[in-house]
């Protein structure tokens, strides 16, 4: 979608976006003639509604977070914007033919936001694989593959390298701990990679911080870590899940 400004986080941009996107989506739909629309946000379901009407095709909306807990807008201090976002989400849910939530809690939040969506909202649970864990073997693998020396205390984190994922906070904590026998693995790619590398250098921990890039074997890879750090600033963790989590420690 062509945009008139490079700054994609301003009120003028969002006004333009919500006016232009439905027209652009309808044009793409007419051009490619899809049989189904799959959307991963109630807000984007609203944007896709004109395409749905023009082509007379069903629309499924997947909801991974409780509505209004994964905000598109950053202007949360504005009551008007907060109300508008909630109103648009409700419209998107109402216009969807089928809604699939990632958990029962998310489904309940969807129905609370839009009671009329109750009969068309189901749950498609996240796929959690059961993995056998040989910690000693996996740690030996990490030490060898990453050319680490001795028996370092390995801290790992995994995720897109984005500001909201808060890896800079983890880097500062790692530097402040002052444990020269430890190593930090940052697994993932993203627009903050260069910034994080620069920060690691400024903090004096660049030699002990390893950016592994994108990996297909993350579940097995982090089994060799002594500590897994989930540092996202938007993390919502169930206390009981923390208490019952298995090694590596969370």
């Amino acid at each position: 979608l062509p945009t008139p400004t490079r700054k994609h986080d301003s009120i003028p941009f969002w006004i333009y976006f919500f006016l232009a996107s439905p027209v652009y989506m309808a044009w793409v739909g007419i051009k490619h003639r899809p049989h189904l629309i799959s959307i991963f946000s109630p807000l984007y379901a609203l944007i896709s509604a004109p395409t749905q009407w023009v082509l007379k095709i069903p629309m499924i909306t997947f909801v991974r977070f409780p509505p209004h807990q994964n905000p598109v807008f950053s202007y949360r201090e504005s009551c008007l914007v907060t109300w508008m976002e909630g109103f648009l989400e409700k419209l998107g849910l109402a216009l969807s033919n089928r809604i699939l939530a990632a958990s029962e809690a998310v489904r309940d939040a969807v129905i609370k936001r839009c009671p009329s969506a109750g009969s068309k909202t189901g749950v498609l649970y996240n796929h959690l694989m059961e993995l056998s864990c040989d910690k000693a073997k996996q740690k030996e693998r990490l030490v060898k593959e990453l050319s680490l020396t001795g028996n370092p205390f390995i801290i790992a984190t995994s995720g897109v390298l984005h500001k909201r994922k808060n890896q800079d906070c983890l880097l500062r904590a790692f530097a402040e701990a002052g444990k020269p026998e430890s190593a930090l693995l940052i697994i993932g790619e993203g627009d903050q990679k260069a910034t994080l590398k620069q920060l690691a250098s400024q903090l004096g921990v660049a030699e002990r911080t390893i950016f592994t890039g994108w990996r297909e074997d993350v579940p097995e890879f982090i089994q060799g870590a002594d500590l897994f750090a989930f540092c996202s600033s938007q993390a919502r963790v169930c206390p009981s899940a923390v208490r019952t989590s298995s090694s590596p420690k969370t």
Side-chain angles (χ1 to χ4, degrees), residues 37-59:
I37 299 175
S38 302
I39 297 295
F40 283 86
S41 161
L43 283 173
Y44 294 119
L46 178 62
I47 289 172
S48 304
T51 309
Q52 177 194 26
W53 297 333
V54 170
L55 299 179
K56 295 181 172 55
I57 56 176
M59 178 166 63

Side-chain angles (χ1 to χ4, degrees), residues 100-164:
L100 292 177
S103 68
E104 293 181 15
V106 173
R107 179 192 61 190
D108 293 344
V110 166
I111 295 173
K112 183 177 180 180
R113 169 73 73 187
C114 182
S116 63
S119 61
K120 59 183 179 182
T121 303
V123 179
L124 181 64
Y125 296 97
N126 287 318
H127 178 53
L128 302 177
M129 299 177 292
E130 292 187 9
L131 299 173
S132 59
C133 181
D134 187 336
K135 182 174 178 59
K137 182 178 179 180
Q138 292 296 343
K139 182 163 186 177
E140 182 181 353
R141 172 199 172 191
L142 280 188
V143 170
K144 182 178 180 180
E145 183 175 333
L146 301 175
S147 300
L148 302 174
T149 57
N151 184 30
F153 186 85
I154 301 176
I155 304 167
T157 188
S158 175
V160 62
L161 306 186
H162 190 276
K163 189 173 182 180
R164 66 184 171 85

Side-chain angles (χ1 to χ4, degrees), residues 17 20 38 54 69 75 86 99 129 162 173 175 185 205 221 226 243:
F17 180 81
S38 302
V54 170
Q69 286 190 10
Y75 316 102
I99 302 166
M129 299 177 292
H162 190 276
L185 309 184
V205 294
F221 198 68
D226 299 290
R243 288 196 298 269

